[in-house]
Amino acid sequence: MNSIESINTNQYVLFKLDDESYGIEIEYVKTIEKITNITRVPNTKPYVKGVINLRGEVIPVIDLRERFGLPIRAYDNDTRVIIVSIKDFVIGLVVDSSSEVIHLNDNEVDNPPTIGETNTVEFVKGIGKKDGNLIMLLNLKKIL
């Protein structure tokens, strides 16, 4: 008797904040851009850095370091803005660097830990395991 198991595979765009790896489902990523001039918008939360003009489209930008409560770091040549779209809402996420796209099977993803009460944990929907590394898979709906 043959049995066919169905294993779902998802693709994730990887990026770094400090030395930690994070992943966003590729279906939400429109493009990855180098950091550019950001125009401040008054009366916004500190992690909302402002807006950018991306090929004629004005896009709000948030700094994920500040959103997660990590120490602020100056932008450099590795800094990237990941443009994501979720439910017709387009936003840029400032990250330290972006590296690659990976595939993760369902059996390579665990539930997030339930320890602590930091803001970061609520943004994590799973922990990916690839080549001995752990990748925090983000829940974009919670971040936005």
Side-chain angles (χ1 to χ4, degrees):
M1 179 176 199
N2 292 332
S3 67
I4 299 173
E5 286 188 31
S6 175
I7 297 176
N8 292 324
T9 300
N10 293 310
Q11 286 184 290
Y12 296 90
V13 172
L14 291 189
F15 63 92
K16 293 248 184 189
L17 294 175
D18 280 333
D19 292 326
E20 304 296 331
S21 295
Y22 295 82
I24 297 174
E25 292 169 293
I26 199 166
E27 67 190 62
Y28 298 118
V29 177
K30 291 182 69 175
T31 183
I32 300 172
E33 304 289 332
K34 288 186 175 182
I35 192 77
T36 184
N37 291 335
I38 299 174
T39 303
R40 294 276 314 158
V41 176
N43 298 320
T44 57
K45 296 192 177 196
Y47 59 84
V48 178
K49 304 316 286 178
V51 294
I52 61 172
N53 181 348
L54 184 65
R55 295 180 275 283
E57 186 177 1
V58 176
I59 298 173
V61 174
I62 67 171
D63 188 314
L64 278 188
R65 282 182 156 276
E66 289 187 58
R67 182 72 172 116
F68 293 167
L70 298 173
I72 296 172
R73 185 181 113 169
Y75 299 150
D76 60 26
N77 287 335
D78 292 330
T79 304
R80 295 291 183 266
V81 181
I82 300 175
I83 308 297
V84 296
S85 176
I86 184 166
K87 294 185 178 181
D88 296 328
F89 187 66
V90 178
I91 192 163
L93 307 172
V94 177
V95 300
D96 292 353
S97 65
S98 179
S99 55
E100 61 185 313
V101 175
I102 64 164
H103 297 261
L104 288 175
N105 297 323
D106 288 345
N107 61 2
E108 295 175 304
V109 177
D110 285 346
N111 291 325
T114 56
I115 55 172
E117 295 184 24
T118 65
N119 288 338
T120 304
V121 172
E122 76 181 79
F123 300 135
V124 177
K125 72 177 193 178
I127 305 291
K129 300 172 286 184
K130 192 75 168 181
D131 301 327
N133 297 315
L134 297 179
I135 303 155
M136 288 185 250
L137 305 175
L138 298 182
N139 183 342
L140 279 182
K141 293 174 187 168
K142 294 276 186 177
I143 293 170
L144 306 179

